């Protein structure tokens, strides 16, 4: 996103249709492998002619330029899957590792953790 913000000067919003939140963005200098040209962005539909906005559910540089032009926070167009709160939810659930059928049971030593050392890294608790 920092790269997109840095490339903002390479885009000019040439047209805006208020009722559909549709923008026409013209690229005035080459950036990120995109050729110079005009792209249509719809913030309401979260689409761009390039296709990355709708595919990744994350604002592309053209959408960021539109947000800057309309004084809208680009972060509101970032899908929840990219938010740290959602990432941490993945680790909330416990799971049982799959053990293949016919796999012999574990016969090694049983490890018992020292409760004083759980979550600590000190000289006494390596």
């Amino acid at each position: 996103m920092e790269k997109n913000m840095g490339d903002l000067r390479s885009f000019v919003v040439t047209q805006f249709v208020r009722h559909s939140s549709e923008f026409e963005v013209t690229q005035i200098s080459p950036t990120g492998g995109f050729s110079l040209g005009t792209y249509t962005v719809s913030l309401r539909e979260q689409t761009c002619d390039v296709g990355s906005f709708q595919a990744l559910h994350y604002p592309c540089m053209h959408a960021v330029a539109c947000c800057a032009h309309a004084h809208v926070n680009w972060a509101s167009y970032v899908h929840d899957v990219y938010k740290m709160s959602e990432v941490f939810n993945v680790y909330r659930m416990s799971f049982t590792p799959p053990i293949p059928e016919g796999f012999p049971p574990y016969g090694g030593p049983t490890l018992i953790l020292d409760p004083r050392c759980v979550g600590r890294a000190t000289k006494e608790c390596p």
Side-chain angles (χ1 to χ4, degrees):
M1 189 49 75
E2 288 177 12
K3 183 179 179 329
N4 286 353
M5 297 300 281
D7 291 341
L8 225 73
R9 285 171 268 166
S10 301
F11 301 95
V12 175
V13 175
T14 55
Q15 189 175 2
F16 170 60
V17 180
R18 184 179 298 271
H19 73 275
S20 64
S21 291
E22 198 166 280
F23 298 80
E24 198 170 88
V25 181
T26 301
Q27 189 164 349
I28 56 175
S29 62
T31 60
F34 293 107
S35 60
L36 298 178
T38 302
Y39 302 91
T40 303
V41 176
S42 172
L43 291 180
R44 180 176 289 152
E45 300 295 324
Q46 297 185 9
T47 60
C48 176
D49 286 346
V50 175
S52 60
F53 191 12
Q54 54 268 35
L56 300 176
H57 304 287
Y58 195 82
C60 63
M61 59 183 71
H62 306 104
V64 172
C66 295
C67 288
H69 177 79
H71 304 287
V72 175
N73 185 1
W74 58 265
S76 62
Y77 295 99
V78 175
H79 194 276
D80 287 345
V81 74
Y82 293 107
K83 296 180 181 169
M84 291 307 292
S85 58
E86 293 300 313
V87 171
F88 290 137
N89 282 340
V90 171
Y91 298 101
R92 272 193 193 164
M93 299 184 302
S94 62
F95 63 95
T96 305
I99 299 174
E101 253 184 71
F103 199 74
Y106 178 70
T110 301
L111 298 175
I112 300 173
L113 297 175
D114 184 348
R116 296 173 294 148
C117 295
V118 173
R120 298 185 185 142
T122 62
K123 289 181 182 177
E124 297 83 29
C125 302

